[in-house]
């Protein structure tokens, strides 16, 4: 999907990333001096125009869908009842195309399951007819300069493999082109025999051996291993090679970003263990150019929020892991250990010891069981050193060296005929990327009605693409009207 995206939850306070040092009284004074809120210019409106994107000549960026040299933004689009789907809501995939002026919401496409050539689901569940947020991964698997769309979907009848009984999770690829997905029948990816019967889940992209070809990693549904599929892939769905030496764990995968310039860079892989609200474990598998992922994972601290980036500016990729603020609401499980509670740790890319920073308490009346939102790496000044864009209970804060800047946007006071309390109207950070090609990241924030819009299918519908960490926006839009009956 988009670069540098993180959807876990976190609130942050005193983190100075210059030299990976914490901050005391002086740091607090600097934060106070630069903390003036940057309020947006208004509530985003639905675009009134719609035009097809330009057909590019290809690029090495996995988020440049039409290959014109500008990164594109993939967003969920919720479509209401239609004659083809009278009883439910269908999730579709919207692409807002980048340009020299940033993302242009009038230049967009919307893709359904059929557009990606996926087979019809076998059951009648409304959500199964759509493309749930996060279920599609873009990567240029065949190396033709146009990102492909990789999606898993349950197919066939229930099968048993080892101790697992489930329908097969087939991994499909819709091949890209200068006009986006071709619309042809998607190709099933050839999996190693050990995972072929039940398929895979939690698919992420990367360049795990640093050879410049895009790869995929996933968890085997039969719980046998992590499956790494190295590119380039043939149009018959065969990877160049596979690796099943990494262990399986009940959880999700998080991969470092592929460099959007196409410069080969080995991307490490994080295995984040399953969480039921509590902060859970993390294992880092370091990537090495020419060798791939190390089979010896490094056990890291507990935490439900993650961001890869170069936070100290030394040219190496670092990893931030923090307490998302979410808590299991079962009696006796509402707390975390003192080494985890309210803290963020940055693991330097040289393999050294992490530096831990304290996070703030939630304002009175704001704390929830789910935490305030996510974190992402962002470089809005283009100096080559990433800051951390952090969700708080009051909005978003960019921590960049010694500077802290609040980046605030708000949704409307009333939606769907109901009033939204002011304390739940702040937009949340969803990532960062350079959409206009100027070498500086724009920040991505979103919002939708309901305090849990990031959970349980209440998908975000309002988007802001900021001009760095300022009060100005490159663009903002609402996804109403992106598709017939959409919202």
């Amino acid at each position: 999907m988009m670069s540098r995206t993180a959807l876990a939850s976190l609130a942050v306070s005193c983190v100075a990333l210059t030299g990976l040092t914490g901050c005391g009284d002086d740091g607090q004074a600097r934060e106070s001096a630069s903390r003036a809120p940057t309020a947006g210019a208004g509530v985003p409106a639905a675009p009134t125009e719609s035009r097809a994107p330009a057909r590019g000549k290809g690029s090495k960026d996995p988020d440049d869908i039409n290959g014109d040299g500008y990164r594109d933004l993939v967003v969920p689009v919720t479509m209401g009842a239609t004659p083809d789907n009278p009883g439910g809501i269908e999730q579709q995939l919207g692409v807002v195309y980048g340009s020299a002026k940033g993302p242009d919401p009038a230049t967009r496409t919307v893709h359904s399951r059929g557009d990606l050539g996926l087979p019809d689901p076998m059951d009648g569940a409304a959500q199964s007819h759509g493309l749930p947020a996060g279920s599609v991964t873009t990567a240029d698997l065949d190396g033709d300069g146009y990102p492909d769309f990789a999606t898993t979907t349950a197919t066939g009848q229930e099968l048993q493999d080892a101790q697992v009984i489930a329908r097969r999770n087939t991994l499909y690829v819709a091949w890209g082109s200068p006009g986006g997905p071709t619309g042809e029948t998607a190709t099933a990816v050839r999996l190693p025999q050990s995972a072929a019967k039940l398929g895979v889940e939690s698919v992420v992209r990367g360049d795990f051996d640093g050879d410049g070809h895009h790869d995929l990693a996933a968890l085997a549904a039969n719980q046998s291993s992590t499956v790494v599929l190295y590119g380039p892939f043939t149009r018959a769905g065969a990877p160049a090679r596979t690796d099943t030496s990494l262990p399986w764990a009940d959880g999700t995968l998080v991969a470092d970003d592929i460099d959007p310039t196409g410069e080969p860079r080995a991307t490490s892989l994080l295995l984040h263990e399953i969480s039921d609200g509590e902060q859970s474990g993390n294992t880092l598998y370091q990537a090495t150019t020419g060798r791939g992922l190390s089979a010896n994972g490094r056990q890291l601290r507990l935490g439900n929020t993650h961001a890869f980036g170069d936070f100290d500016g030394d040219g190496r990729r670092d990893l931030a892991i923090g307490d998302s603020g979410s808590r299991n609401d079962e009696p006796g499980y509402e707390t975390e250990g003192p080494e985890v509670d309210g803290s963020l740790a940055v693991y330097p890319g040289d393999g050294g010891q992490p530096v831990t920073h304290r996070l703030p308490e939630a304002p009175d009346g704001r704390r929830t069981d789910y935490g305030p939102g996510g974190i992402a790496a962002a470089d809005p000044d283009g100096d080559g050193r990433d800051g951390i864009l952090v969700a708080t209970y009051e909005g978003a804060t960019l921590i960049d060296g010694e500077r802290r800047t609040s980046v605030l946007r708000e949704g409307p006071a009333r939606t769907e005929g109901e009033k939204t309390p002011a304390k739940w109207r702040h937009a949340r950070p969803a990532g960062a990327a350079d959409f206009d090609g100027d070498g500086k990241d724009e920040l991505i924030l979103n919002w939708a009605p309901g305090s849990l819009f990031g959970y349980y299918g209440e998908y975000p519908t309002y988007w802001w693409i900021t001009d760095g960490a300022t009060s100005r926006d490159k663009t903002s839009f609402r996804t109403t009207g992106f598709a017939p009956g959409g919202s």
Side-chain angles (χ1 to χ4, degrees):
M1 205 175 147
M2 67 191 72
S3 171
R4 306 172 186 257
T5 299
L7 297 179
S9 305
L10 185 68
V12 81
S13 176
C14 184
V15 184
L17 296 175
T18 300
L20 295 177
T21 59
C23 57
D25 293 339
D26 290 342
Q28 291 173 357
R30 284 190 293 270
E31 178 175 9
S32 177
S34 62
R35 191 177 166 78
T38 55
V43 176
T48 57
E49 298 179 85
S50 179
R51 49 182 173 264
R55 298 173 68 87
K57 297 181 179 180
S59 77
K60 296 182 179 180
D61 185 342
D63 291 322
D64 182 5
I65 305 303
N66 60 335
D68 68 345
Y70 295 103
R71 308 208 86 185
D72 306 317
L73 173 66
V74 178
V75 299
V77 176
T78 304
M79 190 178 74
T82 68
D84 295 330
N85 185 28
I89 294 176
E90 179 179 341
Q91 187 83 8
Q92 297 188 347
L93 202 68
V95 180
V96 178
Y97 290 87
S99 72
K101 295 182 179 180
D104 179 8
T107 306
R108 64 182 188 271
T109 53
V110 177
H111 304 290
S112 65
R113 288 179 61 93
D115 296 327
L116 299 187
L118 298 173
D120 291 332
M122 294 185 63
D123 58 57
Q127 190 172 3
S128 69
H129 288 269
L131 297 164
S135 68
V136 180
T137 302
T138 59
D140 184 8
L141 299 177
D142 59 355
D144 66 352
Y146 304 99
D148 310 303
F149 290 62
T151 309
T152 55
T153 188
T155 57
Q157 303 299 319
E158 285 191 342
L159 303 170
Q160 181 169 358
D161 192 0
Q163 302 302 311
V164 181
I165 300 175
R167 288 166 58 187
R168 185 170 189 266
N169 241 5
T170 303
L171 175 58
Y172 287 101
V173 175
W175 302 105
S177 75
T182 62
E184 299 173 354
T185 300
T187 301
V189 172
R190 297 183 187 177
L191 299 175
Q193 185 175 359
S194 62
K197 189 172 183 179
L198 292 184
V200 293
E201 54 198 6
S202 188
V203 179
V204 295
R205 72 186 186 201
D207 181 2
F208 302 116
D209 55 2
D211 66 352
H213 296 294
H214 297 180
D215 313 318
L216 297 176
L219 296 175
N222 66 0
Q223 305 180 4
S224 61
S225 70
T226 295
V227 177
V228 184
L229 307 170
Y230 287 96
F233 290 64
T234 69
R235 282 294 184 110
R241 61 187 177 94
T242 63
D243 179 9
T244 58
S245 64
L246 301 186
W248 176 91
D250 195 0
T252 57
L253 297 177
V254 181
D256 193 2
D257 292 325
I258 296 171
D259 193 321
T261 68
E263 184 71 22
R265 178 176 74 199
T267 57
S268 297
L269 184 68
L270 184 74
L271 181 55
H272 175 54
E273 296 176 9
I274 194 170
S275 167
D276 188 25
E278 76 284 353
Q279 304 303 297
S280 56
N282 300 279
T283 304
L284 177 65
Y285 295 96
Q286 195 73 37
T288 304
T289 298
R291 299 178 61 183
L293 295 164
S294 170
N296 299 316
R298 180 185 180 186
Q299 298 296 318
L300 307 182
R301 57 158 279 173
L302 303 179
N304 289 350
T305 125
H306 320 88
F308 285 94
D310 182 4
F311 302 119
D312 54 8
D314 68 351
R316 297 186 180 97
R317 302 292 289 176
D318 312 314
L319 173 61
I321 296 180
D323 174 9
S324 67
S326 68
R327 295 291 183 266
N328 188 309
D329 59 2
E330 297 296 325
Y333 293 92
E334 303 94 338
T335 60
E336 295 291 339
E339 72 280 6
V340 172
D341 186 59
S343 69
L344 167 76
V346 177
Y347 290 82
D350 62 7
Q353 292 300 306
V355 177
T356 300
H357 310 270
R358 298 306 305 169
L359 306 176
E361 291 292 327
D364 290 343
R366 300 289 183 92
R367 183 181 297 278
T368 71
D369 290 334
Y370 304 97
I375 67 172
D379 183 15
D381 58 8
D383 66 354
R385 184 190 66 194
D386 289 315
I388 300 183
L389 181 64
V390 188
T392 72
Y393 281 99
E394 299 173 296
T397 296
L398 177 72
I399 304 167
D400 190 5
E402 297 183 352
R403 287 186 59 83
R404 307 173 183 284
T405 306
S406 294
V407 185
L408 309 181
R409 302 295 189 270
E410 287 191 341
R414 296 187 67 85
T415 55
E416 305 296 329
E418 296 184 4
K419 184 177 180 180
T420 301
K423 66 179 181 179
W424 301 126
R425 286 170 54 193
H426 60 268
R428 304 183 187 185
D434 178 9
F435 294 106
D436 56 10
D438 66 353
K440 302 176 182 179
D441 282 344
E442 289 78 60
L443 310 182
I444 307 165
L445 298 96
N446 59 23
W447 182 88
S451 61
L452 302 184
F453 73 83
Y455 305 90
Y456 304 128
E458 295 184 80
Y459 299 103
T461 57
Y462 295 79
W463 295 82
W464 293 259
I465 312 301
T466 72
D467 185 2
T470 72
S471 61
R472 301 182 302 272
D473 293 329
K474 290 284 186 176
T475 190
S476 63
F477 60 91
R478 191 169 75 235
T479 55
T480 301
F482 267 40
S487 60

